[in-house]
């Protein structure tokens, strides 16, 4: 296949040209030349952009994605670690969802009088303090 210019790659992938230039600067993708002032990319770059999008959706940073894609194969141990992180986040979100459902359906006239709801609030406050301390 023939190389495609940056505007065509942007159209095909849905990634803005400015993001493509940034990805190239970060070493995530590479142009193969120029046609006039426009960068040219191999058609396979669209597949690499799909891998980058998948990595972002999974919570990898661009630097982590660059590391993962740098080499002949993707580091599977890092994929397992990220999957475990996602499992923990899914568990947390599931508990939050169930707490919200309980709060919405609770028959107590004043929600702050519900012991179950107060436990949820207390747990959320505890996690918030812990995350804030870790960020410092």
């Amino acid at each position: 296949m023939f190389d495609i210019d940056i505007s065509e790659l942007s159209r095909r992938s849905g990634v803005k040209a400015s993001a493509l230039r940034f990805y190239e600067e970060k070493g995530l993708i590479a142009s193969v030349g120029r046609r006039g002032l426009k960068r040219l990319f191999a058609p396979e770059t669209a597949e690499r952009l799909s891998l980058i999008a998948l990595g972002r959706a999974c919570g990898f940073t661009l630097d982590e994605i660059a590391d993962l894609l740098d080499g002949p194969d993707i580091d599977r141990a890092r994929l397992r670690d990220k999957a475990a992180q996602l499992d923990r986040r899914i568990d947390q979100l599931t508990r939050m969802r169930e707490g919200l459902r309980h709060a919405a359906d609770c028959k107590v006239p004043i929600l702050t009088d519900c012991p179950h709801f107060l436990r949820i609030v207390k747990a959320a406050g505890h996690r918030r303090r812990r995350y804030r301390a870790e960020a410092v």
Side-chain angles (χ1 to χ4, degrees), residues 37-123:
L37 295 175
K38 288 189 174 187
R39 291 171 169 88
L40 294 174
F41 295 90
E44 303 82 47
T45 306
E47 182 178 315
R48 190 163 175 101
L49 290 170
S50 294
L51 281 170
I52 293 167
L54 175 63
R56 296 292 289 159
C58 290
F60 287 103
T61 67
L62 289 178
D63 289 336
E64 290 172 328
I65 294 168
D67 287 344
L68 284 169
L69 297 178
D70 185 34
D73 197 12
I74 295 173
D75 182 347
R76 294 167 194 239
R78 289 181 75 180
L79 297 179
R80 279 190 219 71
D81 290 345
K82 184 56 77 172
Q85 289 175 17
L86 289 173
D87 283 338
R88 289 189 296 275
R89 183 68 176 144
I90 290 167
D91 289 344
Q92 180 186 31
L93 289 170
T94 299
R95 287 191 305 275
M96 290 169 55
R97 180 193 64 207
E98 295 309 315
L100 290 173
R101 284 185 177 154
H102 173 81
D105 297 337
C106 186
K107 303 299 183 211
V108 175
I110 299 173
L111 194 55
T112 54
D113 290 339
C114 171
H116 182 72
F117 180 72
L118 292 176
R119 281 193 304 275
I120 294 167
V121 170
K122 185 177 180 182

Side-chain angles (χ1 to χ4, degrees), residues 7-27:
S7 58
E8 178 64 15
L9 181 59
S10 177
R11 187 187 68 71
R12 286 185 190 182
S13 66
V15 178
K16 292 181 180 182
S18 58
L20 294 173
R21 288 188 290 275
F22 180 71
Y23 287 174
E24 184 178 19
E25 185 180 307
K26 300 272 296 172

